[in-house]
């Protein structure tokens, strides 16, 4: 267990007026803080009503105090939580008193979580899951972040690591007894272990892209010729006037984004400039941006007028609708943002298609995880090829397995992640 000399404190809830505000203190001076503010610490993990006072004995607030002993807290250190009345004046008064105590300082962004990592209470993947959980805005994001925070990715990486250590141990035993008769051929067991881990890595690698989309949001681009009804449809989907509509072609010059939630999935709708040939320089820039965003989008919705040939080649999973259904004699497979005809069916189709993409997500959620798994997978391929050469090459194969193990260790923060920590924790608020 690593210990940090400073005792830190911070407001752990959002600043501003609220019913309750929580101030968190972590470190070796927690008992001193308790004695200075209200007397003896309460029984561990039991809330006690305490009258808080400053050094002169003046009342600060009547609050609930919770004490968590060392090795049984979020940070792994002694932790004291003060549940105050959520007034700005009360919070500021308590923070001021804490700042005047010797050996205490205000926590840096993410420092409570960083101490949890350093003290072995969380692994790095769980830290990332916690950051995602704090930022979660949709149900799918919440569920995915909670899986990672609960340790599912760390447990999976740990299983792979155990299997590879077993395989490496078998190979090294063969090396150690190279001059003796080894009663059992370890090759089948080693090959089986490597094959199983490799297959599981492949499944997780494929799922990272979908998992990242759940984290950052899916993009759905609305495409079509000028004045075909793209902005009107965007407004209908958003339920508000998000884009300017007019009878003049080329009104939309830039990409307009609207964030929404579909079946728990975060989705950004993109209203793009009408696709056509133009001599207008500004409109041309907008059309180029529309094409670039459309190519990068997860799904495209094409609107076309009667008899029109789309100026953009649809991809396999894209949605195609005839525009301005309210003006057509046969509105089959058509849509109208103006009257709402076909809008609910379009939403259902978009939701189904994105849900299918999201269903392919695995436990790993970040590009960092994918790169580490690819490194491990490449080392396993190299190890299997080397082992096929025979016992004379087993020492090189064992080293490839150790390389794969180190790659997996980086997922949970055991190696090669020091340069990532400042970036990760800078995204946390102070008090977390």
């Amino acid at each position: 267990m690593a210990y940090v000399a400073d005792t830190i404190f911070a407001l752990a809830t959002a600043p501003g007026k609220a019913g309750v505000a929580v101030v968190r203190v972590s470190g070796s001076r927690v008992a001193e803080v308790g004695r200075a503010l209200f007397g003896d610490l309460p029984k561990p993990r039991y809330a006690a009503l305490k009258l808080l006072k400053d050094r002169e004995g003046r009342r600060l607030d009547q609050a609930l105090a919770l004490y968590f002993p060392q090795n049984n807290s979020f940070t792994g250190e002694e932790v004291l939580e003060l549940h105050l009345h959520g007034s700005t004046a009360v919070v500021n008064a308590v923070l001021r008193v804490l700042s005047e105590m010797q050996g205490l300082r205000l926590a840096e962004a993410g420092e409570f979580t960083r101490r949890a990592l350093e003290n072995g209470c969380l692994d790095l993947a769980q830290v990332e899951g916690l950051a995602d959980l704090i930022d979660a805005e949709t149900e799918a994001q919440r569920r995915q972040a909670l899986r990672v925070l609960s340790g599912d990715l760390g447990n999976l990486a740990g299983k792979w690591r155990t299997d590879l250590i077993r395989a490496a141990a078998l190979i090294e035993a063969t090396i150690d007894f190279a001059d003796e008769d080894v009663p059992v051929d370890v090759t089948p067991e080693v090959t089986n272990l490597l094959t199983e881990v490799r297959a599981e890595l492949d499944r997780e690698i494929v799922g990272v892209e979908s998992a990242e989309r759940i984290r950052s949001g899916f993009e759905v681009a609305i495409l079509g010729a000028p004045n075909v009804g793209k902005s009107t449809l965007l407004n209908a989907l958003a339920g508000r006037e998000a884009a300017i509509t007019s009878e003049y072609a080329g009104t939309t010059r830039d990409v307009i984004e609207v964030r929404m939630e579909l079946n728990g999935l975060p989705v950004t709708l993109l209203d793009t400039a009408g696709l056509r040939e133009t001599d207008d320089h500004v409109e041309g820039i907008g059309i180029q941006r529309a094409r670039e965003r459309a190519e990068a989008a997860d799904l495209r919705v094409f609107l076309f007028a009667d008899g029109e040939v789309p100026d953009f080649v649809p991809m396999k999973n894209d949605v195609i609708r005839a525009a301005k259904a309210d003006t057509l004699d046969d509105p089959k497979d058509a849509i109208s943002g103006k009257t709402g005809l076909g809008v609910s069916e379009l939403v259902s189709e978009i939701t189904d298609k994105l849900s299918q993409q999201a269903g392919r997500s695995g436990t790993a959620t970040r590009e960092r995880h994918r790169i580490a798994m690819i490194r491990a997978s490449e080392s396993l391929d190299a190890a299997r090829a080397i082992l096929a050469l025979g016992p004379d090459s087993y020492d090189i194969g064992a080293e490839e397995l150790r390389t794969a193990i180190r790659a997996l260790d980086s997922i949970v923060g055991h190696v090669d992640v020091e340069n990532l920590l400042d970036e990760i924790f800078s995204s946390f608020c102070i008090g977390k």
Side-chain angles (χ1 to χ4, degrees), residues 31-295:
E32 297 176 28
V33 172
R35 285 193 295 270
L37 288 176
F38 52 77
D40 294 335
L41 291 173
K43 183 180 177 181
R45 298 178 177 274
Y46 279 79
L49 186 63
K50 299 288 186 178
L51 181 62
L52 310 187
K53 298 181 179 180
D54 62 16
R55 288 187 299 179
E56 285 72 36
R58 294 174 298 204
R59 296 183 178 185
L60 294 169
D61 191 26
Q62 193 173 42
L64 285 178
L66 275 166
Y67 168 65
F68 300 89
Q70 181 178 304
N71 300 328
N72 287 279
S73 71
F74 174 69
T75 63
E77 304 171 331
E78 290 186 87
V79 170
L80 176 65
E81 287 187 359
L82 302 173
H83 295 232
L84 312 170
H85 291 96
S87 131
T88 301
V90 169
V91 171
N92 288 342
V94 172
L95 293 178
R96 184 174 60 251
V97 170
L98 291 174
S99 67
E100 293 170 352
M101 293 184 183
Q102 185 177 2
L104 268 67
R105 65 170 174 83
L106 186 65
E108 298 174 358
E111 190 169 2
F112 287 94
T113 305
R114 186 159 189 160
R115 291 192 177 193
L117 173 68
E118 292 171 346
N119 291 332
C121 300
L122 297 174
D123 62 38
L124 187 60
Q126 288 177 294
V127 169
E128 292 168 326
L130 178 57
D132 291 342
L133 185 61
I134 293 171
D135 292 336
E137 296 177 344
T138 70
E139 179 63 16
Q141 289 174 328
R142 181 194 68 81
R143 290 196 302 266
Q144 177 172 279
L146 202 55
R147 283 200 306 270
V148 181
L149 176 58
S150 299
D152 288 5
L153 180 56
N155 293 337
L156 189 57
K159 174 185 175 298
W160 294 334
R161 187 179 190 276
T162 299
D163 288 345
L164 296 185
I165 288 175
R166 167 69 178 168
L170 290 171
I171 293 172
E172 289 171 354
T174 302
I175 297 170
D176 291 341
F177 294 98
D179 297 330
E180 304 176 23
D181 290 330
V182 180
V184 178
D185 181 8
V186 302
T187 305
E189 182 176 355
V190 170
T191 301
N192 185 55
L193 288 169
L194 301 191
T195 300
E196 289 181 357
V197 173
R198 180 68 164 80
E200 292 179 8
L201 283 169
D202 284 346
R203 286 195 293 270
E204 285 298 322
I205 290 169
V206 170
V208 170
E209 183 176 355
S210 296
E212 280 199 309
R213 280 290 183 263
I214 293 175
R215 286 181 55 244
S216 60
F218 293 89
E219 288 192 348
V220 177
I222 304 174
L223 299 172
N227 207 25
V228 79
K230 299 184 299 297
S231 297
T232 303
L233 176 59
L234 176 78
N235 292 340
L237 292 170
R240 61 184 176 88
E241 294 295 318
I244 299 173
T245 61
S246 79
E247 70 275 17
Y248 299 106
T251 298
T252 301
R253 297 294 183 97
D254 205 350
V255 178
I256 298 173
E257 302 183 6
V258 173
R259 185 89 167 181
M260 62 188 302
E261 180 179 340
L262 295 178
N263 194 32
L265 298 173
V267 178
T268 299
L269 297 175
L270 307 177
D271 178 23
T272 61
L275 303 179
R276 66 172 177 176
E277 297 295 329
T278 179
D279 294 328
D280 186 310
H281 177 66
V282 176
E283 185 181 3
I285 294 174
I287 292 172
Q288 180 60 31
R289 289 182 178 177
R291 290 182 180 277
E292 292 172 354
R293 291 298 296 273
E295 289 173 357

Side-chain angles (χ1 to χ4, degrees), residues 219-223 293-302 312-315 317-320:
E219 288 192 348
V220 177
I222 304 174
L223 299 172
R293 291 298 296 273
E295 289 173 357
D298 301 285
L299 184 66
R300 285 146 293 276
V301 176
F302 289 89
F312 198 101
V313 180
M315 297 184 186
N317 207 36
D318 290 339
V319 180
I320 301 176

